[in-house]
């Protein structure tokens, strides 16, 4: 396992032609705020896509999260924060995390963060802090089908008004009937014009007639949906 200093030295040696950098599963939670600042500063400015998947951000203090975010280059337009157990973060941590996301970020990946286990307060804290520059938001594999009405309403508040593309695949939405799925879609703000519902097994074990009836029940919301691989 590398020390923080070794990892920082490695970042400084990366060619300036690199545009995508994956720092997944590097135990960034064990680094101090100062070490995180040094690490981010060593990453080439050419990097526009940055992956922090599986770094236990839930175990970071607010000071660590703020240091991490303040040091991310403004050249980064795509940020992956998936698999970071955000449901175990307090509202203050979630606010710090959201504020840590640079305003340059257009695409934000929050998949597999157990949103269904978050309270409405947690969801609102995170949503209020996500930059309004984000246009593409990935909330896939968050078991959204198990969320209460209050959680779903709060989820709508997580989505900045700039978002036009929302990924909700792998959310086990097959447990919803067409009426409930339509009600769920209607909680998503209208500025989101593209909603990916692929890989939700919506049409499993349905006859063509049942699929047709299902789509008719969804009605006008179908125009916003990607229903492939169902």
């Amino acid at each position: 396992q590398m020390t923080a200093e070794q990892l920082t030295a490695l970042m400084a040696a990366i060619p300036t032609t690199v545009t995508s950098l994956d720092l997944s599963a590097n135990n960034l939670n064990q680094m101090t705020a100062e070490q995180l600042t040094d690490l981010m500063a060593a990453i080439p400015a050419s990097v526009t896509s940055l992956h922090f998947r599986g770094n236990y951000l839930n175990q970071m203090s607010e000071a660590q999260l703020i240091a991490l975010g303040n040091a991310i280059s403004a050249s980064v337009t795509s940020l992956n924060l998936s698999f970071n157990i955000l449901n175990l973060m307090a509202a203050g941590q979630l606010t710090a995390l959201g504020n840590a996301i640079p305003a340059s970020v257009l695409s934000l990946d929050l998949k597999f963060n157990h949103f269904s286990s978050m309270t409405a307060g947690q969801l609102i804290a995170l949503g209020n802090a996500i930059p309004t520059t984000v246009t593409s938001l990935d909330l896939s594999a968050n078991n959204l089908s198990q969320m209460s009405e209050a959680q779903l309403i709060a989820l709508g508040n997580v989505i900045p008004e700039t978002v036009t593309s929302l990924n909700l695949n792998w959310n086990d939405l097959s447990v919803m009937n067409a009426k409930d799925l339509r009600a769920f879609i209607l909680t998503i703000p209208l500025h989101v014009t593209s909603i990916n519902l692929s890989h939700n097994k919506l049409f499993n074990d349905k006859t063509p007639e049942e699929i047709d009836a299902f789509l008719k029940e969804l009605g006008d919301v179908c125009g916003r949906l990607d229903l492939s691989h169902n």
Side-chain angles (χ1 to χ4, degrees):
Q1 182 175 337
M2 283 188 175
T3 65
E5 290 72 23
Q6 287 174 314
L7 188 57
T8 299
L10 176 62
M11 295 302 103
I14 292 174
T16 55
T17 51
V18 171
T19 59
S20 181
L21 182 62
D22 193 338
L23 289 176
S24 299
N26 271 294
N27 295 319
L28 299 188
N29 59 303
Q30 296 179 12
M31 297 176 71
T32 67
E34 183 178 0
Q35 289 172 329
L36 288 167
T37 298
D38 291 342
L39 176 68
M40 292 299 103
I43 294 173
S46 57
V47 172
T48 58
S49 179
L50 195 54
H51 296 248
F52 288 143
R53 170 180 169 147
N55 270 295
Y56 300 101
L57 298 188
N58 64 299
Q59 296 179 10
M60 283 190 178
S61 66
E62 292 180 29
Q64 285 174 296
L65 291 166
I66 290 169
L68 176 66
N70 286 344
I72 295 176
S73 171
S75 62
V76 173
T77 59
S78 177
L79 185 62
N80 187 330
L81 300 179
S82 61
F83 291 84
N84 272 295
I85 324 177
L86 301 189
N87 60 302
L88 295 183
M89 297 177 80
Q93 287 175 293
L94 289 166
T95 298
L97 175 65
N99 289 332
I101 300 169
S104 57
V105 170
L106 304 177
S107 178
L108 180 62
D109 188 341
L110 297 177
K111 76 164 67 72
F112 213 94
N113 271 299
H114 308 284
F115 272 45
S116 62
S117 298
M118 285 187 177
T119 65
Q122 285 175 299
L123 289 166
I124 291 170
L126 176 60
N128 286 343
I130 293 176
T132 55
T133 50
V134 174
T135 60
S136 178
L137 182 61
D138 191 339
L139 299 180
S140 56
N142 272 298
N143 206 22
L144 302 187
S145 63
Q146 302 303 314
M147 295 176 77
S148 67
E149 183 178 357
Q151 285 175 303
L152 289 174
I153 291 171
L155 178 67
N157 293 326
V158 169
I159 304 169
E161 61 184 15
T162 48
V163 170
T164 58
S165 177
L166 181 64
N167 190 349
L168 298 179
N169 63 13
W170 301 106
N171 267 298
D172 196 28
L173 298 181
S174 60
V175 301
M176 291 183 172
N177 59 35
K179 181 179 179 181
D180 290 342
L181 181 60
R182 176 180 167 80
F184 167 62
I185 297 302
L186 290 175
T187 67
I188 299 171
L190 290 174
H191 56 75
V192 180
T193 55
S194 176
I195 304 172
N196 186 345
L197 295 184
S198 63
H199 299 285
N200 273 293
K201 301 180 181 178
L202 296 176
F203 305 141
N204 269 20
D205 303 319
K206 286 184 171 66
T207 66
E209 292 76 17
E210 288 172 329
I211 292 174
D212 186 56
F214 186 92
L215 294 174
K216 285 181 179 177
E217 181 72 30
L218 286 178
D220 57 349
V221 301
C222 279
R224 304 166 68 191
L225 308 181
D226 175 357
L227 296 170
S228 60
H229 302 287
N230 270 296

